[in-house]
Amino acid sequence: MPVFSFAILFSVQASHALDFGQLNGFVQGQGNENLVVILHGDGGPDDAYDSYAKRVAKSKPNTTVVSLTRPGFNGKHGRSRGENPGKDHYTRGNNALLAGSLAAMRKDLRPGRLIVIGHSGGAAQLGTVIGSSPGIVDVAILAGCPCNVPQWRIHRRGENNWKQSQSPHQFAENIPASTLVVAIANAGDSNTPQRFAQEYIAIAQKAGARAQMVAKRGGGHGWRHYERSVDAVLRQTLR
């Protein structure tokens, strides 16, 4: 039997233990009109993601916002089950843990809309999960996505040295029409060039998915370089 971890969602009116499956995270806000989940990059959990979660929850009533600790990572809110934190870790097992966590939260909270934001490695895992577990997410926002993992590793290291990792582009054809996908890529992002997201979105569009590409001028790879663009898309998709 799996060991489940929980986080407490505090509110003035009531408290609710939100089921995260086998992952951990930081919860802000209350209500189930929207459930917004934020997936950090490969640098690990960071206060910047938690701060953004607070701002979204504060600005949008009846919305629960979760800054989730991805599989294998350890943060101030606890360690999540998983393997290879930060190295060749977009594995089938880790992606299944992420999908299980999203499914657990959805079943528990029963939100009107589940919106998931993935940055960098979080975007890579999200981009795979929405194809490998179709229908689990209503809106997926991918920021700085290494959407073709083998080519991204060649770009970064001269060879594909991540043999265990799954790649989003291999699952793009399976994204259902019920899921809106928006990929945001900065022209100045030298870590994940725009071409990786463009390829992914093109495959998804050809297969009939509701997929959009937002190519921005300038900007780097860090969360701070993507936060404003992500927020603009999020505000358009909140109920």
Side-chain angles (χ1 to χ4, degrees):
M1 180 177 293
V3 178
F4 293 101
S5 57
F6 298 85
I8 303 300
L9 174 59
F10 293 101
S11 72
V12 175
Q13 299 175 345
S15 63
H16 175 74
L18 182 61
D19 185 355
F20 287 156
Q22 297 184 66
L23 306 185
N24 274 290
F26 174 70
V27 186
Q28 285 288 299
Q30 62 175 323
N32 67 350
E33 189 166 355
N34 301 287
L35 171 58
V36 180
V37 179
I38 303 168
L39 305 176
H40 59 79
D42 288 347
D46 188 291
D47 287 342
Y49 300 103
D50 290 352
S51 296
Y52 180 65
K54 290 179 182 179
R55 288 198 297 276
V56 173
K58 185 177 181 180
S59 66
K60 188 65 177 179
N62 201 24
T63 294
T64 296
V65 187
V66 176
S67 182
L68 197 67
T69 301
R70 287 170 47 210
F73 283 88
N74 186 42
K76 65 181 181 181
H77 309 295
R79 184 183 185 281
S80 289
R81 288 285 185 89
E83 57 190 359
N84 307 342
K87 183 178 180 181
D88 198 8
H89 57 294
Y90 312 153
T91 63
R92 181 187 300 272
N94 282 350
N95 290 337
L97 284 169
L98 175 57
S101 180
L102 295 175
M105 284 188 278
R106 182 158 207 156
K107 181 179 179 181
D108 189 18
L109 197 60
R110 298 184 181 180
R113 179 167 293 170
L114 172 55
I115 304 170
V116 186
I117 299 166
H119 171 233
S120 188
Q125 290 195 275
L126 176 59
T128 292
V129 165
I130 58 176
S132 61
S133 299
I136 200 169
V137 171
D138 298 310
V139 179
I141 303 173
L142 312 178
C145 181
C147 286
N148 185 322
V149 173
Q151 289 301 312
W152 173 63
R153 295 314 299 168
I154 292 171
H155 165 74
R156 295 284 290 159
R157 292 291 181 264
E159 62 176 330
N160 177 22
N161 59 344
W162 283 20
K163 303 295 186 179
Q164 299 181 64
S165 290
Q166 295 181 312
S167 180
H169 82 284
Q170 297 173 321
F171 297 86
E173 292 182 345
N174 301 325
I175 300 170
S178 60
T179 298
L180 172 64
V181 186
V182 182
I184 306 171
N186 289 335
D189 184 343
S190 61
N191 186 314
T192 52
Q194 291 177 333
R195 65 179 183 273
F196 298 137
Q198 289 169 336
E199 175 196 22
Y200 174 80
I201 292 299
I203 295 171
Q205 288 175 337
K206 187 175 180 179
R210 291 187 299 146
Q212 303 173 12
M213 177 73 194
V214 178
K216 306 293 291 187
R217 295 182 178 179
H221 183 68
W223 170 248
R224 293 298 189 192
H225 292 275
Y226 278 101
E227 185 175 323
R228 182 175 295 183
S229 299
V230 167
D231 192 64
V233 174
L234 175 65
R235 300 298 170 175
Q236 294 175 11
T237 57
L238 288 167
R239 295 186 62 167

